[in-house]
Amino acid sequence: MLSFTGKLNRTKYWVANLLIIPALLVVTFFALTLAFAGVASANWVVVVAGLLFGLVSSFMYLWMTLSVTIGRLRDAGQNPLFVLAIFILPFLSLIIIGILPSEPKQQ
């Protein structure tokens, strides 16, 4: 699920989008809240730790979203470059990609 190669069926796609990715968003939110709390208390060690933690979790979120979506697009027989639609219509494109039928298996 963390690789940009291979395919990902609808079930795994929705598990990632409904469970794992929101968890990463919550972690990012708490990291940035920690950073802002450090600013309010003028504790720069907390600010830097919160920002670094927020940056790492943001990159994890981006990586996970892109890898899951590219795998799903391959499974549906679509061009993986269609992933760019996420940046134009974020929520709508994730739903459309999630309901695309899988490509029939060749024997």
Side-chain angles (χ1 to χ4, degrees), residues 48-69:
V48 171
L51 288 176
L52 286 176
F53 191 54
L55 185 65
V56 168
S57 61
S58 294
F59 280 123
M60 287 173 53
Y61 168 75
L62 182 63
W63 184 277
M64 186 76 160
T65 302
L66 291 176
S67 66
V68 165
T69 305

Side-chain angles (χ1 to χ4, degrees), residues 17-58:
N17 276 312
L18 296 176
L19 298 176
I20 298 169
I21 292 175
L24 283 173
L25 284 174
V26 169
V27 169
T28 303
F29 173 76
F30 282 123
L32 295 177
T33 302
L34 177 68
F36 286 121
V39 169
S41 66
N43 187 345
W44 295 107
V45 173
V46 174
V47 172
V48 171
L51 288 176
L52 286 176
F53 191 54
L55 185 65
V56 168
S57 61
S58 294

Side-chain angles (χ1 to χ4, degrees), residues 3 5 9 13 15 27 53-55 60-61 65 72 76-77 84 107:
S3 170
T5 60
N9 63 23
Y13 175 81
V15 165
V27 169
F53 191 54
L55 185 65
M60 287 173 53
Y61 168 75
T65 302
R72 178 69 196 116
L84 298 175
Q107 298 179 356

